Amino acid sequence: MGHIEVVTDHLQGAAKIPAAHIDGDRRDLRLDACRGLALWFIFLDHIPGNVLAWLTLRNYGFSDTAEVFVLVSGYTCMLAYGGALREQGWSTTVTRALRRFARWREATPEPRSMSWSA
């Protein structure tokens, strides 16, 4: 039988580049960039007659960029809470997620009333 060699270093030193961490923060900025790009594509899709809308995924696939945004957000949540779920169980993970939601809710202003009457 012949010998098969797997080439894994197409770019020299590429494997040594970290996942863009800042000051010990475990956040992967590549995921934030993907979510940001998805939000821009969603924005472009909602502008009627926009010439840049041909760039978005809704023209080339079965779905639009909203699904990409949800997928990347779910993956980010898995990275954030997956370790806690394995090590501490469901109750601690759900408590942490609810506590984070409560902090977000406190910081988010109430939406104004959408009354259409004059």
Side-chain angles (χ1 to χ4, degrees), residues 35-58 64-66 69:
R35 284 192 305 179
L37 187 61
L39 286 174
W40 271 106
F41 281 3
I42 292 168
F43 174 72
L44 290 174
D45 282 341
H46 282 83
I47 300 174
N50 186 359
V51 296
L52 295 176
W54 67 270
L55 290 170
T56 64
L57 294 177
R58 73 180 171 133
D64 60 5
T65 316
F69 179 80

mmCIF file of all heavy atoms in Angstrom, residues 35-58 64-66 69:
data_model
loop_
_atom_site.group_PDB
_atom_site.id
_atom_site.type_symbol
_atom_site.label_atom_id
_atom_site.label_comp_id
_atom_site.label_asym_id
_atom_site.label_seq_id
_atom_site.Cartn_x
_atom_site.Cartn_y
_atom_site.Cartn_z
ATOM 1 N N ARG A 35 -21.787 37.720 13.051
ATOM 2 C CA ARG A 35 -23.106 38.216 13.449
ATOM 3 C C ARG A 35 -23.328 39.638 12.953
ATOM 4 O O ARG A 35 -24.421 39.989 12.511
ATOM 5 C CB ARG A 35 -23.273 38.158 14.967
ATOM 6 C CG ARG A 35 -23.521 36.767 15.457
ATOM 7 C CD ARG A 35 -23.963 36.736 16.874
ATOM 8 N NE ARG A 35 -23.027 37.426 17.749
ATOM 9 C CZ ARG A 35 -23.182 37.559 19.039
ATOM 10 N NH1 ARG A 35 -24.226 37.046 19.633
ATOM 11 N NH2 ARG A 35 -22.292 38.182 19.769
ATOM 12 N N GLY A 36 -22.281 40.470 13.023
ATOM 13 C CA GLY A 36 -22.402 41.838 12.526
ATOM 14 C C GLY A 36 -22.677 41.880 11.035
ATOM 15 O O GLY A 36 -23.526 42.659 10.563
ATOM 16 N N LEU A 37 -21.977 41.046 10.273
ATOM 17 C CA LEU A 37 -22.212 40.976 8.835
ATOM 18 C C LEU A 37 -23.630 40.489 8.538
ATOM 19 O O LEU A 37 -24.311 41.013 7.651
ATOM 20 C CB LEU A 37 -21.185 40.052 8.190
ATOM 21 C CG LEU A 37 -21.183 39.982 6.671
ATOM 22 C CD1 LEU A 37 -20.885 41.345 6.060
ATOM 23 C CD2 LEU A 37 -20.163 38.959 6.207
ATOM 24 N N ALA A 38 -24.088 39.511 9.304
ATOM 25 C CA ALA A 38 -25.461 39.016 9.127
ATOM 26 C C ALA A 38 -26.472 40.122 9.407
ATOM 27 O O ALA A 38 -27.460 40.274 8.677
ATOM 28 C CB ALA A 38 -25.714 37.814 10.027
ATOM 29 N N LEU A 39 -26.233 40.920 10.450
ATOM 30 C CA LEU A 39 -27.152 42.022 10.753
ATOM 31 C C LEU A 39 -27.159 43.063 9.637
ATOM 32 O O LEU A 39 -28.214 43.612 9.287
ATOM 33 C CB LEU A 39 -26.786 42.670 12.081
ATOM 34 C CG LEU A 39 -27.145 41.860 13.313
ATOM 35 C CD1 LEU A 39 -26.609 42.531 14.572
ATOM 36 C CD2 LEU A 39 -28.645 41.675 13.417
ATOM 37 N N TRP A 40 -26.004 43.338 9.038
ATOM 38 C CA TRP A 40 -25.965 44.268 7.903
ATOM 39 C C TRP A 40 -26.743 43.710 6.716
ATOM 40 O O TRP A 40 -27.473 44.442 6.041
ATOM 41 C CB TRP A 40 -24.517 44.561 7.494
ATOM 42 C CG TRP A 40 -23.951 45.728 8.242
ATOM 43 C CD1 TRP A 40 -23.042 45.689 9.240
ATOM 44 C CD2 TRP A 40 -24.293 47.103 8.061
ATOM 45 N NE1 TRP A 40 -22.788 46.963 9.696
ATOM 46 C CE2 TRP A 40 -23.542 47.848 8.981
ATOM 47 C CE3 TRP A 40 -25.162 47.774 7.208
ATOM 48 C CZ2 TRP A 40 -23.629 49.233 9.073
ATOM 49 C CZ3 TRP A 40 -25.249 49.157 7.301
ATOM 50 C CH2 TRP A 40 -24.488 49.868 8.223
ATOM 51 N N PHE A 41 -26.603 42.428 6.453
ATOM 52 C CA PHE A 41 -27.342 41.819 5.343
ATOM 53 C C PHE A 41 -28.849 41.864 5.601
ATOM 54 O O PHE A 41 -29.630 42.113 4.681
ATOM 55 C CB PHE A 41 -26.892 40.387 5.111
ATOM 56 C CG PHE A 41 -25.602 40.258 4.348
ATOM 57 C CD1 PHE A 41 -24.878 41.361 3.956
ATOM 58 C CD2 PHE A 41 -25.111 39.007 4.023
ATOM 59 C CE1 PHE A 41 -23.702 41.248 3.248
ATOM 60 C CE2 PHE A 41 -23.938 38.873 3.305
ATOM 61 C CZ PHE A 41 -23.233 39.996 2.913
ATOM 62 N N ILE A 42 -29.250 41.618 6.839
ATOM 63 C CA ILE A 42 -30.673 41.702 7.182
ATOM 64 C C ILE A 42 -31.171 43.125 6.961
ATOM 65 O O ILE A 42 -32.256 43.354 6.416
ATOM 66 C CB ILE A 42 -30.910 41.234 8.628
ATOM 67 C CG1 ILE A 42 -30.639 39.734 8.743
ATOM 68 C CG2 ILE A 42 -32.321 41.563 9.094
ATOM 69 C CD1 ILE A 42 -30.571 39.226 10.168
ATOM 70 N N PHE A 43 -30.362 44.097 7.386
ATOM 71 C CA PHE A 43 -30.712 45.506 7.180
ATOM 72 C C PHE A 43 -30.864 45.814 5.691
ATOM 73 O O PHE A 43 -31.838 46.452 5.274
ATOM 74 C CB PHE A 43 -29.632 46.388 7.822
ATOM 75 C CG PHE A 43 -29.801 47.850 7.566
ATOM 76 C CD1 PHE A 43 -30.806 48.562 8.190
ATOM 77 C CD2 PHE A 43 -28.950 48.509 6.699
ATOM 78 C CE1 PHE A 43 -30.965 49.920 7.951
ATOM 79 C CE2 PHE A 43 -29.093 49.865 6.458
ATOM 80 C CZ PHE A 43 -30.104 50.570 7.083
ATOM 81 N N LEU A 44 -29.914 45.363 4.873
ATOM 82 C CA LEU A 44 -29.983 45.625 3.435
ATOM 83 C C LEU A 44 -31.211 44.987 2.799
ATOM 84 O O LEU A 44 -31.806 45.555 1.880
ATOM 85 C CB LEU A 44 -28.719 45.102 2.740
ATOM 86 C CG LEU A 44 -27.431 45.859 3.031
ATOM 87 C CD1 LEU A 44 -26.244 45.143 2.393
ATOM 88 C CD2 LEU A 44 -27.523 47.293 2.548
ATOM 89 N N ASP A 45 -31.596 43.807 3.290
ATOM 90 C CA ASP A 45 -32.782 43.129 2.742
ATOM 91 C C ASP A 45 -34.078 43.874 3.055
ATOM 92 O O ASP A 45 -35.078 43.673 2.369
ATOM 93 C CB ASP A 45 -32.883 41.706 3.290
ATOM 94 C CG ASP A 45 -31.932 40.762 2.590
ATOM 95 O OD1 ASP A 45 -31.474 41.090 1.474
ATOM 96 O OD2 ASP A 45 -31.636 39.696 3.158
ATOM 97 N N HIS A 46 -34.077 44.711 4.066
ATOM 98 C CA HIS A 46 -35.299 45.413 4.451
ATOM 99 C C HIS A 46 -35.419 46.801 3.840
ATOM 100 O O HIS A 46 -36.369 47.521 4.136
ATOM 101 C CB HIS A 46 -35.382 45.503 5.984
ATOM 102 C CG HIS A 46 -35.819 44.222 6.602
ATOM 103 N ND1 HIS A 46 -34.952 43.197 6.869
ATOM 104 C CD2 HIS A 46 -37.039 43.783 6.985
ATOM 105 C CE1 HIS A 46 -35.609 42.191 7.403
ATOM 106 N NE2 HIS A 46 -36.883 42.512 7.479
ATOM 107 N N ILE A 47 -34.492 47.191 3.001
ATOM 108 C CA ILE A 47 -34.583 48.478 2.308
ATOM 109 C C ILE A 47 -35.148 48.223 0.916
ATOM 110 O O ILE A 47 -34.514 47.555 0.096
ATOM 111 C CB ILE A 47 -33.200 49.156 2.208
ATOM 112 C CG1 ILE A 47 -32.640 49.413 3.596
ATOM 113 C CG2 ILE A 47 -33.310 50.454 1.421
ATOM 114 C CD1 ILE A 47 -31.216 49.941 3.586
ATOM 115 N N PRO A 48 -36.343 48.733 0.625
ATOM 116 C CA PRO A 48 -36.956 48.481 -0.693
ATOM 117 C C PRO A 48 -36.123 49.098 -1.824
ATOM 118 O O PRO A 48 -35.639 50.218 -1.728
ATOM 119 C CB PRO A 48 -38.314 49.177 -0.596
ATOM 120 C CG PRO A 48 -38.547 49.422 0.853
ATOM 121 C CD PRO A 48 -37.209 49.506 1.498
ATOM 122 N N GLY A 49 -35.927 48.335 -2.888
ATOM 123 C CA GLY A 49 -35.227 48.826 -4.062
ATOM 124 C C GLY A 49 -33.738 49.042 -3.867
ATOM 125 O O GLY A 49 -33.115 49.766 -4.644
ATOM 126 N N ASN A 50 -33.143 48.428 -2.873
ATOM 127 C CA ASN A 50 -31.725 48.606 -2.581
ATOM 128 C C ASN A 50 -30.888 47.816 -3.588
ATOM 129 O O ASN A 50 -31.075 46.616 -3.772
ATOM 130 C CB ASN A 50 -31.425 48.134 -1.160
ATOM 131 C CG ASN A 50 -30.012 48.410 -0.737
ATOM 132 O OD1 ASN A 50 -29.209 48.950 -1.490
ATOM 133 N ND2 ASN A 50 -29.713 48.051 0.493
ATOM 134 N N VAL A 51 -29.922 48.482 -4.228
ATOM 135 C CA VAL A 51 -29.095 47.806 -5.226
ATOM 136 C C VAL A 51 -28.090 46.848 -4.580
ATOM 137 O O VAL A 51 -27.597 45.935 -5.243
ATOM 138 C CB VAL A 51 -28.355 48.822 -6.128
ATOM 139 C CG1 VAL A 51 -29.339 49.627 -6.939
ATOM 140 C CG2 VAL A 51 -27.463 49.733 -5.320
ATOM 141 N N LEU A 52 -27.775 47.041 -3.294
ATOM 142 C CA LEU A 52 -26.830 46.165 -2.613
ATOM 143 C C LEU A 52 -27.476 44.864 -2.122
ATOM 144 O O LEU A 52 -26.783 43.956 -1.677
ATOM 145 C CB LEU A 52 -26.180 46.884 -1.437
ATOM 146 C CG LEU A 52 -25.294 48.072 -1.797
ATOM 147 C CD1 LEU A 52 -24.792 48.759 -0.540
ATOM 148 C CD2 LEU A 52 -24.136 47.625 -2.657
ATOM 149 N N ALA A 53 -28.790 44.762 -2.228
ATOM 150 C CA ALA A 53 -29.488 43.575 -1.741
ATOM 151 C C ALA A 53 -29.127 42.321 -2.539
ATOM 152 O O ALA A 53 -29.319 41.216 -2.057
ATOM 153 C CB ALA A 53 -30.994 43.792 -1.759
ATOM 154 N N TRP A 54 -28.576 42.479 -3.733
ATOM 155 C CA TRP A 54 -28.175 41.303 -4.521
ATOM 156 C C TRP A 54 -27.014 40.573 -3.867
ATOM 157 O O TRP A 54 -26.742 39.423 -4.182
ATOM 158 C CB TRP A 54 -27.847 41.680 -5.948
ATOM 159 C CG TRP A 54 -26.622 42.527 -6.090
ATOM 160 C CD1 TRP A 54 -26.578 43.885 -6.060
ATOM 161 C CD2 TRP A 54 -25.282 42.088 -6.258
ATOM 162 N NE1 TRP A 54 -25.290 44.314 -6.192
ATOM 163 C CE2 TRP A 54 -24.452 43.232 -6.322
ATOM 164 C CE3 TRP A 54 -24.681 40.837 -6.364
ATOM 165 C CZ2 TRP A 54 -23.079 43.160 -6.470
ATOM 166 C CZ3 TRP A 54 -23.308 40.763 -6.518
ATOM 167 C CH2 TRP A 54 -22.526 41.923 -6.576
ATOM 168 N N LEU A 55 -26.314 41.216 -2.914
ATOM 169 C CA LEU A 55 -25.204 40.580 -2.206
ATOM 170 C C LEU A 55 -25.664 39.599 -1.136
ATOM 171 O O LEU A 55 -24.895 38.757 -0.703
ATOM 172 C CB LEU A 55 -24.347 41.645 -1.504
ATOM 173 C CG LEU A 55 -23.508 42.556 -2.367
ATOM 174 C CD1 LEU A 55 -22.928 43.680 -1.526
ATOM 175 C CD2 LEU A 55 -22.398 41.762 -3.015
ATOM 176 N N THR A 56 -26.887 39.714 -0.694
ATOM 177 C CA THR A 56 -27.340 38.963 0.468
ATOM 178 C C THR A 56 -27.725 37.533 0.112
ATOM 179 O O THR A 56 -27.949 37.200 -1.051
ATOM 180 C CB THR A 56 -28.524 39.678 1.135
ATOM 181 O OG1 THR A 56 -29.612 39.704 0.226
ATOM 182 C CG2 THR A 56 -28.159 41.094 1.542
ATOM 183 N N LEU A 57 -27.821 36.702 1.133
ATOM 184 C CA LEU A 57 -28.065 35.275 0.939
ATOM 185 C C LEU A 57 -29.459 34.934 0.431
ATOM 186 O O LEU A 57 -29.654 33.862 -0.129
ATOM 187 C CB LEU A 57 -27.819 34.538 2.255
ATOM 188 C CG LEU A 57 -26.390 34.529 2.757
ATOM 189 C CD1 LEU A 57 -26.313 33.836 4.107
ATOM 190 C CD2 LEU A 57 -25.478 33.834 1.769
ATOM 191 N N ARG A 58 -30.415 35.802 0.627
ATOM 192 C CA ARG A 58 -31.785 35.452 0.214
ATOM 193 C C ARG A 58 -31.884 35.227 -1.282
ATOM 194 O O ARG A 58 -32.795 34.564 -1.764
ATOM 195 C CB ARG A 58 -32.767 36.522 0.654
ATOM 196 C CG ARG A 58 -32.668 37.784 -0.158
ATOM 197 C CD ARG A 58 -33.669 38.814 0.317
ATOM 198 N NE ARG A 58 -33.376 40.061 -0.357
ATOM 199 C CZ ARG A 58 -34.270 40.805 -0.922
ATOM 200 N NH1 ARG A 58 -35.534 40.479 -0.871
ATOM 201 N NH2 ARG A 58 -33.924 41.919 -1.509
ATOM 202 N N ASP A 64 -32.765 33.241 4.268
ATOM 203 C CA ASP A 64 -32.050 34.513 4.270
ATOM 204 C C ASP A 64 -31.034 34.535 5.404
ATOM 205 O O ASP A 64 -30.766 33.521 6.049
ATOM 206 C CB ASP A 64 -33.020 35.685 4.346
ATOM 207 C CG ASP A 64 -33.875 35.666 5.597
ATOM 208 O OD1 ASP A 64 -33.652 34.805 6.458
ATOM 209 O OD2 ASP A 64 -34.765 36.517 5.715
ATOM 210 N N THR A 65 -30.487 35.686 5.675
ATOM 211 C CA THR A 65 -29.391 35.799 6.628
ATOM 212 C C THR A 65 -29.867 35.715 8.071
ATOM 213 O O THR A 65 -29.054 35.529 8.976
ATOM 214 C CB THR A 65 -28.639 37.120 6.385
ATOM 215 O OG1 THR A 65 -28.450 37.287 4.982
ATOM 216 C CG2 THR A 65 -27.277 37.101 7.016
ATOM 217 N N ALA A 66 -31.148 35.821 8.317
ATOM 218 C CA ALA A 66 -31.652 35.701 9.688
ATOM 219 C C ALA A 66 -31.318 34.331 10.270
ATOM 220 O O ALA A 66 -30.959 34.219 11.452
ATOM 221 C CB ALA A 66 -33.161 35.942 9.717
ATOM 222 N N PHE A 69 -27.729 34.334 11.329
ATOM 223 C CA PHE A 69 -27.588 35.062 12.584
ATOM 224 C C PHE A 69 -27.985 34.181 13.770
ATOM 225 O O PHE A 69 -27.276 34.124 14.785
ATOM 226 C CB PHE A 69 -28.441 36.332 12.563
ATOM 227 C CG PHE A 69 -28.369 37.124 13.826
ATOM 228 C CD1 PHE A 69 -27.292 37.963 14.065
ATOM 229 C CD2 PHE A 69 -29.360 37.032 14.783
ATOM 230 C CE1 PHE A 69 -27.204 38.690 15.238
ATOM 231 C CE2 PHE A 69 -29.287 37.759 15.953
ATOM 232 C CZ PHE A 69 -28.208 38.592 16.178
#
